[in-house]
């Protein structure tokens, strides 16, 4: 079983659902409580044993590269001022030299195309793919849960969650086969099907473990839904040759690519923090007096 050492973070999307905030600022740098969204996702990958972080970027995304760089002057100033707690926190988040790579998608032709842009950096080994606008809140990170399944199943593993039956047109939906460990075998995949055509209500929720053969399929993948090169279409072709398993993720997911999901994430992550929880509970009650304790 080949260990999953590398993770791809496609961050080249335009973030149009979050305009005007994303006109000059990458949506991945919006902060949930006090960390940028992208940091949550990198932390999740590190917890799962990832050693190399590959970012597929685009124009206006240099703030992401700067965020993962060492800021020598800042660290020296914090140290001189005795601010050791935040300094330790910053250093713990910092990738080691040589652990990050950046490549540019140049033209945002879709998620599948963004992933294909990472082919040389990933090479011939299985890898993790994390959509950075989806952030997960759970005791054990979503990717770690998936790696635990992958170590038993091998093949390709996708995280899935259930959506309302009327909402299948918003997601990539998988067909449900035989149960295995924490999930099931995937029998089919459809990108954004109408409810009547959906094989189930399990949607792919933004975390993938993929075999490297996906790259050859992405290379000649035609555009699909929305005129974009879709990863789901390439996975469907790979499914004809290889096994795909769904891991039914246990935890909360927030789509920080949309203002609603972003606000929910801020509330939920802030309420998880002991230093904010009591104050926030009272504050929310003053805003919404109808809520009982
Ligand atoms: P989304 O469709 O959610 O991102 O793609 P977007 O295109 O930035 O968002 P909207 O719809 O305009 O608001 C899912 C992920 O794939 C990346 C995005 O950055 C996001 O993390 N992506 C998408 C790319 O890297 N390149 C693309 O061409 C498209």
């Amino acid at each position: 079983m080949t260990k999953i050492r590398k993770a791809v973070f496609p961050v080249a999307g335009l973030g149009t659902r979050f305009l005007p905030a994303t006109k000059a600022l990458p949506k991945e740098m919006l902060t949930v409580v006090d960390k940028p969204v992208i940091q949550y996702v990198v932390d999740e990958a590190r917890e799962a044993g990832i050693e190399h972080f590959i970012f597929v970027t685009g124009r206006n995304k240099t703030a992401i590269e700067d965020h993962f760089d060492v800021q020598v002057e800042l660290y020296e100033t914090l140290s001189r001022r005795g601010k050791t707690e935040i300094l330790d926190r910053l250093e713990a988040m910092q990738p080691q030299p040589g652990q990050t790579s950046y490549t540019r998608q140049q033209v945002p032709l879709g998620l599948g195309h963004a992933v294909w842009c990472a082919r040389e950096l990933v090479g011939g080994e299985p890898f993790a793919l994390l959509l950075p606008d989806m952030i997960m809140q759970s005791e054990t990170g979503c990717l770690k849960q998936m790696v635990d399944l992958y170590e038993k199943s091998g093949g390709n593993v996708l995280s899935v969650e259930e959506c309302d039956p009327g909402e299948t047109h918003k997601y990539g939906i998988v067909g449900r086969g035989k149960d295995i460990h924490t999930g099931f075998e995937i029998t089919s995949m459809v990108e954004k099907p109408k409810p009547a055509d959906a094989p189930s209500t399990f949607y792919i929720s933004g975390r993938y473990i993929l075999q490297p053969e996906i790259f050859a399929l992405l290379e000649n993948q035609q555009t699909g839904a929305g005129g974009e090169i879709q990863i789901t279409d390439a996975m469907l072709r790979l499914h004809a040759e290889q096994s795909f398993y769904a891991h039914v993720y246990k935890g909360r997911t927030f789509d920080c690519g949309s203002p609603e999901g972003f606000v929910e994430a801020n509330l939920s992550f802030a309420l998880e923090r002991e230093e904010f929880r009591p104050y926030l509970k009272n504050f929310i009650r003053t805003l919404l007096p109808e809520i009982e304790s």
Side-chain angles (χ1 to χ4, degrees):
M1 174 81 53
T2 313
K3 184 177 181 301
I4 307 299
R5 298 184 313 122
K6 298 185 180 180
V8 174
F9 304 88
V11 292
L14 299 177
T16 54
R17 280 172 298 154
F18 224 131
L19 282 167
T22 48
K23 200 172 160 213
L25 181 76
K27 64 178 169 182
E28 298 80 9
M29 289 303 295
L30 296 169
T31 51
V32 169
V33 189
D34 56 3
K35 282 198 299 187
V37 166
I38 189 71
Q39 184 72 57
Y40 286 86
V41 188
V42 165
D43 290 347
E44 181 191 328
R46 190 185 287 113
E47 180 203 351
I50 297 300
E51 297 161 7
H52 197 101
F53 307 88
I54 299 166
F55 298 87
V56 181
T57 73
R59 273 184 295 282
N60 290 334
K61 300 282 179 162
T62 46
I64 297 174
E65 212 165 323
D66 290 340
H67 174 73
F68 289 109
D69 201 1
V70 171
Q71 295 209 19
V72 182
E73 300 83 356
L74 173 67
Y75 288 14
E76 279 176 4
T77 307
L78 290 173
S79 168
R80 239 189 352 266
R81 292 185 184 168
K83 303 210 171 213
T84 49
E85 201 179 309
I86 184 63
L87 191 56
D88 290 348
R89 211 171 146 217
L90 288 177
E91 284 177 348
M93 289 175 183
Q94 184 76 51
Q96 296 302 306
Q99 277 194 321
T100 50
S101 297
Y102 297 87
T103 186
R104 281 216 178 192
Q105 190 186 8
Q106 298 171 329
V107 183
L109 296 176
L111 172 61
H113 181 260
V115 174
W116 179 72
C117 291
R119 66 200 179 282
E120 295 294 334
L121 293 167
V122 171
E125 56 185 284
F127 64 100
L129 166 64
L130 296 95
L131 301 197
D133 32 17
M134 308 301 281
I135 63 171
M136 317 297 226
Q137 190 179 36
S138 50
E139 208 164 298
T140 302
C142 179
L143 188 61
K144 172 82 175 72
Q145 295 178 22
M146 291 167 69
V147 167
D148 290 345
L149 172 61
Y150 167 80
E151 284 171 353
K152 299 182 185 91
S153 67
N156 301 268
V157 177
L158 314 180
S159 69
V160 300
E161 291 172 60
E162 278 197 273
C163 67
D164 291 336
E167 302 217 313
T168 56
H169 62 284
K170 295 186 181 168
Y171 304 103
I173 302 287
V174 299
R176 181 174 190 159
K178 211 168 77 199
D179 284 354
I180 84 151
H181 305 291
T182 53
F184 54 83
E185 283 177 13
I186 292 177
T187 53
S188 61
M189 285 174 242
V190 198
E191 188 61 36
K192 301 187 171 66
K194 292 190 197 107
D197 303 330
S200 78
T201 49
F202 283 100
Y203 70 95
I204 304 168
S205 65
R207 301 291 184 262
Y208 311 68
I209 292 174
L210 295 170
Q211 296 296 322
E213 287 75 22
I214 194 81
F215 292 120
L217 299 171
L218 283 169
E219 182 149 6
N220 56 28
Q221 183 64 54
Q222 302 296 309
T223 53
E228 296 193 329
I229 296 176
Q230 298 286 352
I231 188 85
T232 311
D233 295 338
M235 290 194 302
L236 193 55
R237 290 162 68 208
L238 187 58
H239 186 243
E241 295 155 24
Q242 295 188 6
S243 303
F244 273 75
Y245 303 99
H247 165 68
V248 182
Y249 163 65
K250 302 261 175 309
R252 289 204 182 102
T253 302
F254 302 98
D255 178 4
C256 289
S258 74
E260 314 85 89
F262 176 75
V263 170
E264 283 172 13
N266 265 290
L267 263 179
S268 192
F269 278 93
L271 283 167
E272 198 185 46
R273 298 257 294 261
E274 271 315 306
E275 72 268 41
F276 299 131
R277 192 180 171 83
Y279 152 76
L280 262 182
K281 267 177 75 175
N282 284 336
F283 181 62
I284 292 169
R285 233 178 269 132
T286 63
L287 294 179
L288 300 166
E290 65 273 24
I291 293 184
E292 306 210 337
S293 61

